[in-house]
Amino acid sequence: MASYHRVLKVFDRSVNDKSLECDYDIHPWEILINGERWAGKVRLVGFVDVFFLICYSAEARFEKGIIIYKDDEVIRDTLDRANVSASDINLDVVNQKEMKADKTLPPKYFSFDSQPLDYLITSLGHEIGLTTEYPRSSLIKYEIKVLKSKNAVTKKRVRRAVTQHSLTDLMHDAIRLGMLSHAEMTAQLLGNFYVGSATDDAMGKYFDIIGSARQKNNMQLSNEQS
C-alpha cells in the first residue's frame, strides 16, 4: 500500500502546505469515529477547510482514512453535485433558528462542540484512497470524538484543525496564506456584513491584525528610530 502522503497528494494536499493546521498522531484510545476505534496508528492532518483522519502502519503506509469537510459551502455543493439529501444521511441542519428568522440564509451542517473532556465534531465526509472519484453512497455523516490533550500547544492545534475558523481566524488565514490582499479583505468585510457596530468591530479587529503583522514582519528603518 502507498504512503499516506501520496493519498493526500490526490486531494492536492501536503503536510508542507501553508494551510496546514495540524499534523499529529492521536492514540487510538483518544478518538472515536462513528462510535468505533481504529486499530493502529491514527494521524490527524488538518487544514483550514478540511481535515483527514488516516490509519497507517510502518513507514507511513496508508491503511485507511477519511476526509471531513468543515466548509458549509463545500458541504452544500458536494451534496448537491452528488444529488444526496442531507436528511437521507441524517445530517442535521444546525442553524434552523437563524434560517427561520432570515429566509435567505443557507443551511449549515458542520457542528463543533467543545465538551469538558472531548471535542465533538459532526459533519459530512467519506473514505479516501488513491482515486479522485467516489460513489455517492460513500458520502455519510461522521461523528468524531477527540479527547482533549493535556498539552496546551497540542490542544490548540488540534482544535484549529477540527473546527471552523472564526472571523478573526479567517482574517489571519487570508493574510497568512496570501489568499486575499489588504484591499480585497476590506471589500469582503464591507460586502458581507451589515453596516453598523458589528462591521465596525470586525474592521477594527482586522486593522489590529494588520498592524501587529506589520510590526512583527517589518524592520525599522534607520531614519525611523526614535
Side-chain angles (χ1 to χ4, degrees), residues 6-24:
R6 280 189 60 193
V7 177
L8 288 174
K9 198 170 291 186
V10 169
F11 292 86
D12 198 26
R13 303 298 172 116
S14 165
V15 294
N16 297 316
D17 289 351
K18 287 184 179 180
S19 60
L20 181 74
E21 295 290 357
C22 174
D23 180 27
Y24 289 156

Side-chain angles (χ1 to χ4, degrees), residues 11-59:
F11 292 86
D12 198 26
R13 303 298 172 116
S14 165
V15 294
N16 297 316
D17 289 351
K18 287 184 179 180
S19 60
L20 181 74
E21 295 290 357
C22 174
D23 180 27
Y24 289 156
D25 275 335
I26 296 181
H27 193 281
W29 287 100
E30 295 177 348
I31 186 168
L32 283 172
I33 302 168
N34 280 353
E36 297 181 359
R37 298 192 192 278
W38 285 359
K41 298 178 180 178
V42 180
R43 194 79 172 176
L44 168 63
V45 186
F47 299 88
V48 171
D49 57 337
V50 302
F51 66 88
F52 296 84
L53 288 169
I54 296 170
C55 184
Y56 72 100
S57 55
E59 298 180 354

